Amino acid sequence: MSTDLTEFIERRKKELNAVILAHYYQRPEIQDAADFVGDSLQLAIQAARTEAEVIVFCGVTFMAESAKILNPDKIVILPELQAGCPMADMATGEALRAKKAEMPGVKVVCYVNSSAEVKAESDICCTSANAVQVVESLPPECPILFVPDQNLGHYIARQTGRDITLWEGYCPVHQVVSLEQLVEARRQHPEAVVMVHPECPPDVIEASDHALSTGGMLKLAKTDPAQEFIVGTEEGLLYQLRKQNPEKKFHLIKSEFICETMKLTTIDKLARSLETLEPRIEVPEDVRIRAQKALDRMIQIS
């Protein structure tokens, strides 16, 4: 990052009373420019607590929408409007309403990786970090519909023993991780601890040592005495893993483990968004009010 851009971003943040939030999958220079870097749960909590008047969200659309849902009176900016989430697009409010009509009395647990409209149709949100606790908070007799990630939903069902109806959605980046790739990574690094994201397929999760959110992976890397890890999530997390644990080794479970939409945000786009206060994220008020209830319930459990 150039000195001029760094100075401009810092100066403009102070002028606006702005905060920059970035996901672990963002480019390294974006993570360095951010005031807070985290996983979806950590970022939602930060967005709910911030006293900044302007929130610049370096992530994807559903993350910025969540920040706006929690902060209706603040300006929320997403530096790149094309930074969407293919998995979030696999569930719509209309489709969810139709499914709910088929399942009277169902409780909808909505992965935070979903649109504001889907959140508004849900009873409670969750992230990969707290999904098990969220499901365990629901009455044992109530039917559960988990939207939209079937792999995370399958993992939750295994962990809780609950009967969960799964939406047929998935993360295209994690879905293509194969058991064969994990086996080959273990062959190349036999002493390494394997930690994968629960958005990975069930057989990959079953063969790993740990299934964790990105924040959980960072915590494990710090606390586990192992000196070598195989990482089953988007390559952006390697930057923080190596930064926080310079004495340890980290290997991706496969090559080309990249979320293209997460990489759309660049430092130039970040600077431009601070200069223009655009593009802004808006959520219709009737949708926002209903979606906030689901997000608030999630944050209370966290």
Side-chain angles (χ1 to χ4, degrees), residues 216-232:
M217 290 185 192
L218 282 165
K219 183 177 180 180
L220 181 71
K222 282 184 176 180
T223 57
D224 195 295
Q227 293 298 298
E228 200 168 3
F229 296 83
I230 294 168
V231 181

Side-chain angles (χ1 to χ4, degrees), residues 24 38-40 42 128-129 212-220 237:
Y24 290 127
D39 61 18
S40 295
Q42 294 164 340
S128 54
L212 299 164
S213 67
T214 47
M217 290 185 192
L218 282 165
K219 183 177 180 180
L220 181 71
L237 186 64

Side-chain angles (χ1 to χ4, degrees), residues 30-42:
I30 296 294
Q31 295 188 43
D32 286 342
D35 298 292
F36 184 85
V37 184
D39 61 18
S40 295
L41 177 60
Q42 294 164 340

Side-chain angles (χ1 to χ4, degrees), residues 258-270:
I258 298 174
C259 175
E260 298 291 348
T261 56
M262 277 286 189
K263 305 308 189 203
L264 290 177
T265 302
T266 64
I267 202 69
D268 290 334
K269 292 174 183 176
L270 172 57

Side-chain angles (χ1 to χ4, degrees), residues 5-292:
L5 272 180
T6 302
E7 291 177 351
F8 171 78
I9 290 170
E10 290 301 317
R11 182 176 72 251
R12 189 64 171 151
K13 279 196 310 181
K14 292 176 183 176
E15 292 172 357
L16 297 170
N17 185 21
V19 64
I20 299 174
L21 305 180
H23 193 273
Y24 290 127
Y25 296 162
Q26 290 287 296
R27 297 168 181 263
E29 60 269 27
I30 296 294
Q31 295 188 43
D32 286 342
D35 298 292
F36 184 85
V37 184
D39 61 18
S40 295
L41 177 60
Q42 294 164 340
L43 292 171
I45 292 171
Q46 286 295 316
R49 293 176 178 173
T50 185
E51 296 181 0
E53 297 174 48
V54 177
I55 300 172
V56 185
F57 218 116
C58 297
V60 292
T61 308
F62 74 79
M63 296 177 179
E65 282 185 342
S66 293
K68 185 63 179 180
I69 290 166
L70 296 167
N71 297 277
D73 299 326
K74 296 178 180 179
I75 295 172
V76 177
I77 298 170
L78 182 69
E80 174 50 73
L81 276 181
Q82 297 305 310
C85 173
M87 177 168 61
D89 295 339
M90 293 178 188
T92 65
E94 181 180 5
L96 180 52
R97 285 190 290 274
K99 188 66 175 177
K100 287 164 62 178
E102 298 173 4
M103 303 177 66
V106 73
K107 293 290 185 182
V108 179
V109 179
C110 167
Y111 193 18
V112 76
N113 300 34
S114 56
S115 69
E117 188 179 20
V118 167
K119 290 181 176 71
E121 295 295 332
S122 302
D123 294 284
I124 188 168
C125 291
C126 74
T127 72
S128 54
N130 71 352
V132 170
Q133 295 94 310
V134 165
V135 168
E136 287 177 339
S137 75
L138 298 174
E141 69 278 5
C142 75
I144 296 173
L145 171 62
F146 188 81
V147 180
D149 182 19
Q150 60 187 351
N151 290 334
L152 177 58
H154 184 274
Y155 170 76
I156 298 166
R158 287 289 301 271
Q159 293 297 306
T160 62
R162 299 291 293 268
D163 184 14
I164 301 175
T165 300
L166 306 179
W167 198 267
E168 294 184 1
Y170 55 87
C171 168
V173 178
H174 289 94
Q175 176 72 5
V176 295
V177 178
S178 69
L179 180 59
E180 290 74 19
Q181 288 167 331
L182 186 154
V183 171
E184 175 60 19
R186 278 198 189 272
R187 186 190 68 78
Q188 294 184 20
H189 311 286
E191 301 301 318
V193 171
V194 179
M195 52 185 185
V196 304
H197 198 282
E199 289 178 14
C200 291
D203 59 347
V204 172
I205 292 174
E206 185 70 21
S208 69
D209 298 310
H210 303 277
L212 299 164
S213 67
T214 47
M217 290 185 192
L218 282 165
K219 183 177 180 180
L220 181 71
K222 282 184 176 180
T223 57
D224 195 295
Q227 293 298 298
E228 200 168 3
F229 296 83
I230 294 168
V231 181
T233 196
E234 209 271 352
E235 60 90 23
L237 186 64
L238 291 182
Y239 180 65
Q240 288 295 327
L241 284 167
R242 289 167 176 162
K243 185 177 179 180
Q244 296 180 23
N245 307 275
E247 76 288 358
K248 297 186 178 184
K249 294 180 180 179
F250 299 93
H251 316 282
L252 284 179
I253 200 170
K254 72 183 190 74
S255 60
E256 300 300 315
F257 208 154
I258 298 174
C259 175
E260 298 291 348
T261 56
M262 277 286 189
K263 305 308 189 203
L264 290 177
T265 302
T266 64
I267 202 69
D268 290 334
K269 292 174 183 176
L270 172 57
R272 190 182 312 123
S273 69
L274 282 166
E275 181 180 10
T276 64
L277 291 182
E278 297 287 348
R280 299 191 188 189
I281 296 296
E282 301 293 344
V283 177
E285 186 65 5
D286 60 327
V287 173
R288 189 199 69 78
I289 290 172
R290 290 183 292 134
Q292 183 171 3

